[in-house]
């Protein structure tokens, strides 16, 4: 039997946002490796299947990436149907690309299955259209956190005019605000900070670029959260003010 691993997106949390293909992969799985950001409720599609949690949350006890790679390889070589289940989409800040390359380099075939990424779900659940005719002609997804501390071209992001969706930004709010302000973005640019998007405990905090750090503190914003920065994140009142400015 040829070795195969499914790299599957579990979506942002709401089990109803799982794709039919993800459900099929879970049905077929002999072993499922899940990240901490995956809502365990989705495991109802694979009752009785062996589930291994391989968490990687920042600051917490985490499973080394190399160990995860080897575990997937071992099960695949045993002829087991392996599902690697990741929060959101496997290839949006999810190491899906890295894991796929590592496995295919070792002769394992990989099938990637999309999931709804947190940025899309968070915006939609807060009634924010990420693109809007006449207001925003694009979306840029960025992570505020990098392993090598390399910095983003914030000026280009500030000047680009697209809606920004920022992942892993909770601990970096002051840097994000400062860099975008220095890059020329307006201080009253609307910001939505969305915690636990699509989950029953979802919370949203609306603010502006200049105030987002203070507002997030008062709100006690916690990870996982995404930030949506752009005119589309305006509340109806702000939108009217922006339009008349
Ligand atoms: N592959 C995932 C992203 C993993 S990176 C995806 O496509 O969604 C982890 C970051 O994603 C978190 O720090 C947070 O910024 C964001 N995130 C993941 N799930 C989230 C959720 N339910 N609500 C808000 N943000 C979330």
């Amino acid at each position: 039997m040829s070795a195969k691993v499914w790299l599957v997106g579990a979506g942002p949390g709401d089990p109803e946002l799982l794709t039919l293909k993800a459900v099929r992969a879970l049905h077929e799985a002999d072993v499922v490796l899940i990240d901490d950001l995956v809502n365990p409720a989705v495991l109802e599609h694979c009752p009785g299947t062996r589930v291994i949690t391989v968490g990687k949350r920042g600051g917490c006890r985490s499973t080394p990436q190399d160990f995860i790679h080897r575990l997937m390889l071992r099960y695949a070589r045993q002829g087991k149907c392996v599902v690697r289940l990741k929060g959101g989409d496997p290839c949006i800040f999810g190491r899906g690309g890295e894991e796929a390359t590592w496995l295919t380099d070792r002769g394992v075939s990989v099938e990637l299955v999309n999931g709804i990424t947190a940025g899309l779900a968070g915006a939609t659940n807060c009634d924010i259209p990420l693109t809007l005719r006449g207001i925003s002609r694009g979306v840029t997804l960025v992570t505020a956190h990098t392993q090598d501390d390399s910095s983003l071209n914030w000026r280009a992001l500030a000047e680009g005019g697209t809606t920004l969706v920022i992942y892993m930004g909770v601990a970096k709010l002051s840097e994000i605000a400062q860099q975008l302000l220095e890059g020329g973005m307006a201080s009253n640019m609307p910001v939505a900070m969305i915690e636990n998007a699509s989950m029953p405990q979802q919370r949203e905090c609306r603010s502006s670029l200049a105030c987002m750090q203070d507002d997030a503190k008062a709100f006690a914003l916690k990870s996982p959260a995404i930030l949506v920065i752009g005119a589309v994140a305006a509340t109806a009142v702000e939108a009217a003010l922006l339009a008349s400015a």
Side-chain angles (χ1 to χ4, degrees):
M1 197 171 177
S2 66
K4 177 164 173 182
V5 174
W6 296 73
L7 293 179
V8 179
D14 177 353
E16 286 193 320
L17 291 177
L18 211 56
T19 65
L20 293 176
K21 200 163 186 180
V23 170
R24 179 161 70 81
L26 285 171
H27 273 304
E28 289 177 16
D30 297 309
V31 55
V32 180
L33 276 66
I34 67 165
D35 279 347
D36 326 73
L37 275 177
V38 173
N39 183 351
V42 302
L43 298 173
E44 70 168 285
H45 298 290
C46 54
T49 306
R50 176 150 196 219
V51 175
I52 303 170
T53 304
V54 286
K56 291 194 78 61
R57 288 300 295 284
C60 304
R61 191 174 62 85
S62 69
T63 314
Q65 188 63 33
D66 190 54
F67 177 80
I68 300 172
H69 285 158
R70 288 180 191 287
L71 207 56
M72 289 190 287
L73 183 64
R74 193 171 81 210
Y75 285 119
R77 286 196 171 149
Q78 287 170 4
K80 297 214 159 57
C81 177
V82 184
V83 168
R84 171 82 171 104
L85 196 58
K86 291 167 171 287
D89 185 273
C91 292
I92 300 291
F93 311 125
R95 295 180 182 243
E98 269 172 61
E99 293 183 9
T101 307
W102 195 91
L103 289 164
T104 46
D105 282 352
R106 285 156 185 83
V108 177
S109 60
V110 170
E111 183 153 349
L112 284 155
V113 180
N114 281 125
I116 295 182
T117 189
L120 298 189
T124 300
N125 284 350
C126 293
D127 299 320
I128 298 171
L130 290 175
T131 67
L132 191 59
R133 199 144 55 103
I135 306 267
S136 167
R137 55 191 298 178
V139 190
T140 309
L141 307 184
V142 293
T143 172
H145 175 85
T146 52
Q147 230 162 24
D148 58 2
D149 264 340
S150 58
S151 85
L152 282 162
N153 186 344
W154 290 102
R155 179 166 296 277
L157 292 173
E159 289 173 347
T162 64
T163 304
L164 301 182
V165 178
I166 303 186
Y167 290 67
M168 292 176 261
V170 175
K172 302 250 172 161
L173 293 176
S174 76
E175 182 190 336
I176 294 166
Q178 188 197 332
Q179 297 278 6
L180 289 173
L181 288 167
E182 278 174 17
M185 192 178 267
S187 60
N188 65 345
M189 183 62 82
V191 176
M193 298 176 269
I194 307 153
E195 180 184 294
N196 282 310
S198 89
M199 298 289 281
Q201 67 273 31
Q202 173 176 309
R203 297 195 306 151
E204 69 176 280
C205 173
R206 302 285 181 129
S207 181
S208 65
L209 192 56
C211 302
M212 68 186 213
Q213 203 193 350
D214 289 344
D215 288 346
K217 197 166 172 200
F219 186 79
L221 183 77
K222 285 190 206 63
S223 179
I226 51 130
L227 318 178
V228 178
I229 304 180
V232 292
T235 58
V237 175
E238 286 166 342
L241 285 173
L242 282 168
S244 62

